[in-house]
Amino acid sequence: MSKVNFLKEDLKFKTNQMNYLALHLEYKEEILFGRYITLKHIEPLLLKYPVEVIGVSVLGKPIYKLQFGTGKIKILAWSQMHGNESTTTKALFDFIKFLHSNTKESKDILDNFTFCLLPMLNPDGAKLYTRENANGIDLNRDAQHLSQPESVLLRKTFDEFKPNYCYNLHDQRTIFGVGEVPKPATVSFLAPAFNENRDVNEVRIKAMNVIVAMNETLQLLIPNQVGRFDDSFNLNCVGDTFQYLNVPTILFEAGHFAEDYEREITRKYIFIALISGVLFLNENDIVLSEIDNYLKISQNKVIFYDYVYKNVNINYDSNKKIINFAAQFKEILDNNKVTFEAVIAQIDNLENYFGHVEIDAQGETYTDNKNNFPIIDQKATFYLGKNIIVNGKQSS
Ligand SMILES: [Zn+2]
């Protein structure tokens, strides 16, 4: 099919948001689900594709690379460099499945792009459900020292593949929100700085342009739930280093969507972002600067707790006091599953904060058969008057 025809099709594809949602339904890798994604989960899928082991982790686990496509635009993407950040790994496999669908859209993309994907850079951290690798090192602070085998492998892949674009794929916590009437930051992006001054050069503009295109698509689907991440410069971060080495680099942060603690909804929006970014690159050779539109994307702010309880009466030393307090989930790996344990995270000082769920006690009294006042780090199971709150949530 000619390029022109594809672009017409593509435009239809792009403007039809239902198509994106249908596309995800069709290409979702159903065997990946929830937050605990390890080598054991992805290895059966990897067998379907041209895969290569490029080296091993601290604990000797394989680090896989998938390379495919014959096009001139080269994209290097890596996921789960933070072991407990698995949402983008799920989305990446959905994306890979779509790219191998033999449809005219996928074939056209593979004619124009070459992908080099490291879908689990930190398999030890994935297994342990930790951010860091097995040596307790944050790989995203190791871009200069290259002290860890995983960091060396990423850098080696970067040097050999010579990408035109890099995608640095992460998850962010539920604490981030965007906007004045705040909504969760379901997806956030950053075109990292390449110097202390946070200057904008041609390389960074290229990254910003792709972000603007992905943002435009996502805004149709999740208005005001896309954020722009803080761009303070740190050359120890991989994105900052690659941008500094003149390769446009984009940080993706998969965040919270209401009640979606398994991040299955967010996964869909990361998939859509990946596709819309590639479609944008496929049709835009013209260098224009979208810096203004990039800066219009609301900045991420730390403004959320998972639960906020308002107007709670506390009886303390025979004094009555009305307080607000908040609970936050801790993610705990238990028997090969991540469970969410709500603990008290803040008492009062909640002026600029919101809860993903807010419960107004309307002056009812807090009791917990122990101290009868909330204590930081204590489990969020208690009574508000006659209402029982179990693991943060009002139980009916
Ligand atoms: Zn991360």
Side-chain angles (χ1 to χ4, degrees), residues 82 85 131 170-171 253:
H82 291 146
E85 299 178 4
R131 175 182 175 89
H170 291 258
D171 268 74
E253 294 278 356

Side-chain angles (χ1 to χ4, degrees), residues 36 43 52 59 72 81 85 176 207 215 217 222 276 306 322 357:
Y36 191 53
E43 276 173 339
E52 187 191 323
L59 298 180
K72 66 176 195 318
M81 79 182 312
E85 299 178 4
F176 293 102
N215 177 57
T217 301
I222 40 169
S276 59
D306 290 314
I322 295 288
V357 174

Side-chain angles (χ1 to χ4, degrees), residues 95-349:
F95 182 60
I96 294 166
K97 189 175 180 184
F98 163 69
L99 292 175
H100 287 81
S101 63
N102 258 322
T103 54
K104 60 181 189 307
E105 289 87 1
S106 71
K107 282 193 223 158
D108 190 85
I109 291 171
L110 295 186
D111 285 344
N112 290 299
F113 291 85
T114 302
F115 295 95
C116 176
L117 310 174
L118 309 177
M120 190 173 282
L121 184 65
N122 178 8
D124 300 338
K127 178 94 195 292
L128 298 162
Y129 201 67
T130 57
R131 175 182 175 89
E132 297 81 12
N133 75 348
N135 287 331
I137 302 293
D138 183 338
L139 300 177
N140 205 22
R141 300 292 180 274
D142 195 35
Q144 291 301 310
H145 302 300
L146 298 175
S147 67
Q148 302 302 304
E150 298 89 350
S151 313
V152 172
L153 288 168
L154 175 58
R155 182 55 190 265
K156 189 168 162 263
T157 305
F158 173 87
D159 290 339
E160 286 172 3
F161 183 62
K162 298 186 172 47
N164 301 105
Y165 289 88
C166 287
Y167 291 180
N168 184 10
L169 303 169
H170 291 258
D171 268 74
Q172 66 185 357
R173 293 191 292 156
T174 60
I175 56 177
F176 293 102
V178 273
E180 292 310 311
V181 183
K183 291 198 167 185
T186 301
V187 180
S188 297
F189 295 111
L190 172 68
F194 62 89
N195 65 9
E196 285 289 350
N197 252 351
R198 308 178 202 190
D199 291 331
V200 175
N201 63 359
E202 206 175 288
V203 175
R204 214 177 157 200
I205 284 174
K206 281 184 171 178
M208 288 176 176
N209 289 354
V210 183
I211 291 171
V212 167
M214 296 189 289
N215 177 57
E216 278 173 8
T217 301
L218 290 177
Q219 290 293 344
L220 298 171
L221 299 160
I222 40 169
N224 307 313
Q225 286 179 236
V226 183
R228 179 166 51 90
F229 218 84
D230 180 88
D231 71 344
S232 38
F233 175 67
N234 182 351
L235 204 56
N236 294 313
C237 297
V238 175
D240 304 46
T241 287
F242 288 176
Q243 197 94 274
Y244 168 81
L245 294 171
N246 291 318
V247 178
T249 299
I250 297 165
L251 173 74
F252 290 64
E253 294 278 356
H256 187 62
F257 186 93
E259 294 177 26
D260 179 34
Y261 284 92
E262 301 294 355
R263 302 238 161 136
E264 289 297 309
I265 296 174
T266 303
R267 161 195 197 162
K268 176 173 67 186
Y269 295 118
I270 297 291
F271 169 84
I272 291 169
L274 289 169
I275 293 191
S276 59
V278 162
L279 292 179
F280 166 79
L281 287 171
N282 205 17
E283 68 193 47
N284 288 276
D285 305 328
I286 316 144
V287 181
L288 41 88
S289 170
E290 291 283 2
I291 179 166
D292 291 344
N293 286 327
Y294 176 76
L295 293 173
K296 275 185 205 154
I297 303 171
S298 307
Q299 202 147 6
N300 261 14
K301 290 179 285 193
V302 176
I303 46 172
F304 274 109
Y305 287 97
D306 290 314
Y307 292 94
V308 167
Y309 312 93
K310 293 184 160 172
N311 305 312
V312 181
N313 181 51
I314 302 289
N315 293 329
Y316 183 66
D317 281 352
S318 60
N319 293 319
K320 280 174 172 275
K321 194 184 168 199
I322 295 288
I323 64 160
N324 299 327
F325 65 98
Q328 187 73 14
F329 281 124
K330 279 188 180 165
E331 294 160 27
I332 296 164
L333 179 62
D334 179 26
N335 213 356
N336 291 322
K337 203 177 178 300
V338 173
T339 58
F340 296 88
E341 185 181 296
V343 297
I344 308 292
Q346 182 64 281
I347 298 164
D348 281 333
N349 305 313

